[in-house]
């Protein structure tokens, strides 16, 4: 089992990197192995008062964010981080020979998923 807790899937950075992620996971997993991961669907950040999404398609996937760490006066370099909704994760999993199963959903748009090789 590969455990990617606390939005560990975020290290993938961008949707376009998911095929490489799945290829590497295939190399690491023993037969019958699984990946347990959690993430959050942050679409609520982009919803208006009526629940409509205010997204510009030219901005790319809404879950791709830039982060920068800072401690006191020291700032690190920006890096990519991914929050992926379960439906998008399932789509990429299927395209790359995996099945995504929703294990649990939290109260704050978060979820726990299991990936297994198809």
């Amino acid at each position: 089992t590969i455990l990617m807790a606390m939005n560990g899937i975020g290290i993938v950075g961008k949707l376009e990197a998911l095929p490489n992620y799945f290829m590497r996971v295939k190399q690491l997993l023993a037969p019958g192995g699984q990946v347990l991961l959690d993430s959050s669907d942050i679409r609520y950040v982009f919803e208006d008062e009526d629940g409509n999404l205010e997204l510009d398609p030219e901005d790319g996937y809404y879950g791709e964010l830039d982060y920068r760490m800072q401690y006191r006066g020291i700032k690190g370099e920006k890096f990519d981080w991914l929050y992926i909704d379960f439906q998008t994760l399932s789509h990429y999993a299927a395209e790359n020979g995996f099945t995504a199963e929703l294990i649990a959903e939290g109260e704050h748009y978060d979820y726990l998923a299991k990936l297994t090789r198809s």
Side-chain angles (χ1 to χ4, degrees):
T1 299
I2 297 173
L3 179 61
M4 301 185 77
M6 299 186 69
N7 197 53
I9 192 71
I11 64 171
V12 172
K14 298 218 176 261
L15 290 178
E16 66 189 28
L18 280 169
N20 288 335
Y21 163 78
F22 283 108
M23 184 174 62
R24 182 65 177 140
V25 167
K26 283 179 188 176
Q27 295 170 343
L28 295 172
L29 280 179
Q34 63 186 355
V35 178
L36 296 175
L37 65 90
D38 66 337
S39 191
S40 298
D41 183 353
I42 62 168
R43 70 184 300 138
Y44 68 91
V45 174
F46 303 98
E47 289 179 349
D48 65 16
E49 294 171 355
D50 297 323
N52 299 312
L53 288 179
E54 296 180 348
L55 297 172
D56 184 348
E58 292 183 19
D59 290 339
Y61 179 65
Y62 63 86
E64 295 176 337
L65 302 178
D66 292 344
Y67 274 105
R68 175 181 283 179
M69 305 296 275
Q70 179 176 336
Y71 177 72
R72 297 188 182 186
I74 302 170
K75 288 185 182 180
E77 296 294 320
K78 287 184 180 181
F79 59 94
D80 297 323
W81 196 258
L82 179 64
Y83 287 96
I84 187 168
D85 66 282
F86 181 73
Q87 183 178 359
T88 302
L89 176 67
S90 296
H91 170 77
Y92 277 88
E95 281 189 345
N96 290 279
F98 283 79
T99 301
E101 179 184 347
L102 185 62
I103 303 296
E105 290 182 275
E107 296 177 14
H108 302 288
Y109 309 95
D110 53 321
Y111 65 89
L112 174 66
K114 178 172 78 171
L115 301 175
T116 53
R117 288 178 75 167
S118 302

